[in-house]
Amino acid sequence: MYPESVRASLAAVEAAREANIAYEPRRMTADEKSALLAAFHPDHRKDAFETLVIGPNKGELVPHELAEMLQAKSRITSDAVDLTKPDYDVDVLVIGGGGAGSSAAIEAHEAGANVMIVTKLRLGDANTMMAEGGIQAADKPNDSPAIHFLDAFGGGHFAAKRDLLSKLVCDAPEAIQWLSKLGVEFDKMPDGTMVTTHGGGTSRKRMHAARDYSGAEIMRTLRDEVLNREIPVVDFTAAIELILDENGKAAGAVLMNMETKDLYVARAKTVIIATGGAGRMHYQGFPTSNHYGATADGLVLGYRAGAKLLYADTLQYHPTGAAYPSQIFGALVTEKVRSLGAKLVNANGEVFMHPLETRDVSAASIIRECNERGNGVATTNGYGVWLDTPMIEKIGGEGTIEARIPAMMRMFGQYGIDIRKEPILVYPTLHYQNGGLDITPDGMTTEVENLFVAGEAVGGIHGRNRLMGNSLLDIIVFGRSAGQHAAAKSKDVTVGALTLAHIDAFDAARAEAGLENDAVSPKLLPNYTKERSEV
């Protein structure tokens, strides 16, 4: 159901399809990639960033939208609650109910800790649920963690913390086994061998998937395990401030009921931040593939309490977000579509890049094609390029799309687009928070003792760009690790007197730096209401 305005371009794509299937575009050289990213990737737009003037990362650049939240006032004052009478008292407090938080809670519970999850939406309302393509693990005879490391390290521009990335790739095969034992139904051959495919930047087929709803299948399984273990979950309740003890160690959080706005005190021996990403901050006005609650809460909470950030100036713009129709603008079109054979094609029917370049290079290539070269397809939301999905069945045979990417077929089918017969329009969408809180390999922040972090709120695992399939992997590897280490640490913790004095210290730093705005953080939820003029 494409409009008449794109029919000529659509015809050009269809006419060139057979030739484009046979055409193998070359990969870019390292110098070409560097020049492309510097010119067209959103992370390199100088006017989109500002320098922090207070906090642990003072003097460093971050996006304007994040800077406002990091340097904003707390939602509460230091005397807003009675810290001597906690409403909850646990060994391990997990903030966030996605894949990382659930993995952490399961392992902390397995270790015998008294653990509780608090989440501002429902258990499972997270980016995990929306992940589609798969999870990487080097568990085939022609692969190894060392090769996985090299792919990810290079794909992240050699900026990843080596000890974190090493843990990620070395723990990956066991993470797949753990998920399988919990009940995740990965795609398998008739003999039981797991199906694996390529992703952008991979030199081996190591992508394990459950059709194209891998994240939903993993989250379903983790959620069931949390509920079966009867781990307490306080939902529709946000953590709005961390609590420290008199010795400056993490010791709990102030919680707010999202409906009533009532405040509660949760005392804990250790705290795990697993709050996910920041897509709903809509940096630079980009659409997002993220769930409704992805507003960088964990970064804000940790930063105000004294935890440092790493690579907060780098985001991942997934190259293929839906550009048409408007109802799904920005929704993720999984990289698996390209790994199955679909290529990116411009308005003239020309393949303009290798389909499996890394995500940042692919996104920058699409932006260049639309902006500088003028070869984009005009849509109601701007411009896009074609992702030629009918190639998949010409390569893999009839039925491949329905068998391997059924969710994609259904999503576009709702709007009259049969991706087996017609290509789809795509443009980069804000997808992943590469930067986050700085941690040691055991998951604890480098600056605040007893404060652990897992999942997308961590910085440094992937460097300055993440390969497909390594995010579902890191929520499992580092979620489990955080749960295990937080539980072990809690056994030797004696919590001192609780305090919110860091709020006063932060306010003083704001005043000294001349920050006089009324912004408060964390943001908690995006605001899509339109301002109405008075009648």
Side-chain angles (χ1 to χ4, degrees):
M1 299 292 289
Y2 285 110
E4 189 63 33
S5 60
V6 306
R7 287 291 172 181
S9 177
L10 188 58
V13 175
E14 292 170 346
R17 183 167 294 133
E18 293 295 338
N20 283 340
I21 289 173
Y23 174 56
E24 185 66 25
R26 69 174 180 85
R27 289 185 181 271
M28 296 182 197
T29 65
D31 287 343
E32 286 173 332
K33 290 178 182 180
S34 295
L36 172 71
L37 293 172
F40 294 101
H41 194 276
D43 280 356
H44 293 267
R45 282 191 56 185
K46 294 182 179 179
D47 62 347
F49 297 84
E50 67 182 83
T51 303
L52 293 171
V53 296
I54 60 171
N57 292 81
K58 179 179 178 180
E60 297 182 15
L61 289 172
V62 299
H64 294 306
E65 300 87 345
L66 180 59
E68 181 182 37
M69 291 295 98
L70 290 175
Q71 300 180 139
K73 297 185 293 187
S74 174
R75 286 180 169 269
I76 59 172
T77 57
S78 59
D79 59 355
V81 290
D82 185 354
L83 298 175
T84 65
K85 298 178 180 178
D87 301 280
Y88 305 96
D89 199 349
V90 297
D91 296 329
V92 180
L93 175 65
V94 179
I95 303 173
S102 297
S103 298
I106 290 166
E107 288 292 7
H109 185 268
E110 181 68 18
N114 175 16
V115 58
M116 181 179 84
I117 296 174
V118 59
T119 179
K120 68 181 175 184
L121 297 175
R122 300 167 299 178
L123 182 65
D125 284 338
N127 282 347
T128 303
M129 189 72 186
M130 304 179 77
E132 297 168 350
I135 176 171
Q136 286 202 45
D139 56 2
K140 292 294 179 71
N142 70 331
D143 203 358
S144 70
I147 299 173
H148 188 177
F149 181 97
L150 290 173
D151 287 348
F153 196 51
H157 302 289
F158 308 99
K161 293 182 71 172
R162 289 172 180 258
D163 49 3
L164 299 185
L165 182 55
S166 177
K167 180 175 181 60
L168 180 77
V169 300
C170 289
D171 289 5
E174 203 274 326
I176 296 293
Q177 293 174 13
W178 184 72
L179 288 172
S180 295
K181 289 176 182 177
L182 286 180
V184 172
E185 295 288 346
F186 288 110
D187 296 341
K188 296 182 177 69
M189 301 291 285
D191 65 359
T193 303
M194 287 196 186
V195 175
T196 52
T197 58
H198 272 300
T202 62
S203 61
R204 300 290 188 276
K205 293 182 178 181
R206 69 172 71 94
M207 202 70 57
H208 302 65
R211 302 297 191 271
D212 58 346
Y213 43 81
S214 303
E217 172 63 10
I218 288 171
M219 193 66 246
R220 174 196 66 81
T221 305
L222 295 175
R223 180 179 179 275
D224 284 351
E225 185 67 13
V226 168
L227 297 178
N228 289 339
R229 286 174 174 265
E230 298 183 338
I231 295 171
V233 178
V234 183
D235 57 10
F236 296 110
T237 301
I240 60 170
E241 196 63 62
L242 291 179
I243 298 172
L244 305 179
D245 71 7
E246 58 190 337
N247 302 307
K249 300 176 182 179
V254 177
L255 313 178
M256 183 184 76
N257 182 286
M258 293 291 286
E259 182 178 8
T260 67
K261 309 305 179 187
D262 290 337
L263 300 179
Y264 304 94
V265 173
R267 181 180 181 271
K269 295 178 180 177
T270 55
V271 177
I272 301 174
I273 287 176
T275 51
R280 293 289 167 170
M281 301 288 282
H282 292 290
Y283 299 124
Q284 301 186 40
F286 270 81
T288 186
S289 62
N290 284 189
H291 84 107
Y292 193 58
T295 49
D297 295 357
L299 275 59
V300 171
L301 295 176
Y303 193 73
R304 195 152 50 227
K308 290 186 70 172
L309 302 175
L310 184 64
Y311 302 149
D313 60 328
T314 174
L315 287 301
Q316 182 166 89
Y317 296 82
H318 195 291
T320 55
Y324 180 89
S326 296
Q327 295 93 324
I328 53 172
F329 181 50
L332 181 64
V333 176
T334 172
E335 193 168 304
K336 190 173 182 179
V337 176
R338 285 177 287 143
S339 73
L340 290 173
K343 292 177 182 175
L344 290 160
V345 182
N346 66 22
N348 305 317
E350 302 160 337
V351 173
F352 58 91
M353 57 165 284
H354 192 283
L356 291 178
E357 293 283 9
T358 55
R359 285 179 170 176
D360 55 351
V361 170
S362 299
S365 295
I366 293 170
I367 292 171
R368 176 177 64 180
E369 199 69 17
C370 292
N371 294 354
E372 182 184 76
R373 295 178 174 174
N375 293 329
V377 180
T379 73
T380 52
N381 300 298
Y383 287 89
V385 296
W386 296 105
L387 182 55
D388 198 2
T389 50
M391 285 185 174
I392 294 173
E393 301 214 332
K394 285 188 172 290
I395 295 169
E398 186 177 347
T400 301
I401 285 177
E402 187 170 7
R404 301 295 296 278
I405 49 172
M408 286 293 97
M409 191 174 85
R410 286 194 299 271
M411 182 170 77
F412 283 93
Q414 292 180 74
Y415 305 101
I417 299 170
D418 186 345
I419 68 172
R420 297 169 297 185
K421 300 175 182 178
E422 295 179 297
I424 56 181
L425 285 166
V426 297
Y427 192 79
T429 184
L430 186 52
H431 183 60
Y432 190 82
Q433 178 178 267
N434 286 323
L437 294 163
D438 193 8
I439 63 168
T440 55
D442 65 358
M444 192 159 68
T445 59
T446 54
E447 305 296 322
V448 182
E449 190 172 348
N450 298 340
L451 179 62
F452 294 77
V453 192
E456 199 169 342
V458 174
I461 298 173
H462 309 287
R464 292 187 169 272
N465 181 59
R466 177 181 62 78
L467 299 189
M468 170 191 180
N470 279 346
S471 59
L472 282 179
L473 177 59
D474 89 48
I475 65 172
I476 304 302
V477 169
F478 287 93
R480 295 182 68 200
S481 178
Q484 293 162 357
H485 286 98
K489 188 81 161 60
S490 71
K491 295 178 181 178
D492 300 319
V493 170
T494 299
V495 179
L498 304 186
T499 174
L500 290 171
H502 66 281
I503 296 177
D504 296 329
F506 201 79
D507 285 344
R510 277 174 47 85
E512 185 177 349
L515 294 172
E516 298 178 352
N517 60 65
D518 294 324
V520 296
S521 64
K523 189 172 187 176
L524 300 182
L525 295 174
N527 181 4
Y528 295 120
T529 60
K530 293 183 178 179
E531 294 293 333
R532 295 183 179 180
S533 59
E534 294 185 9
V535 178

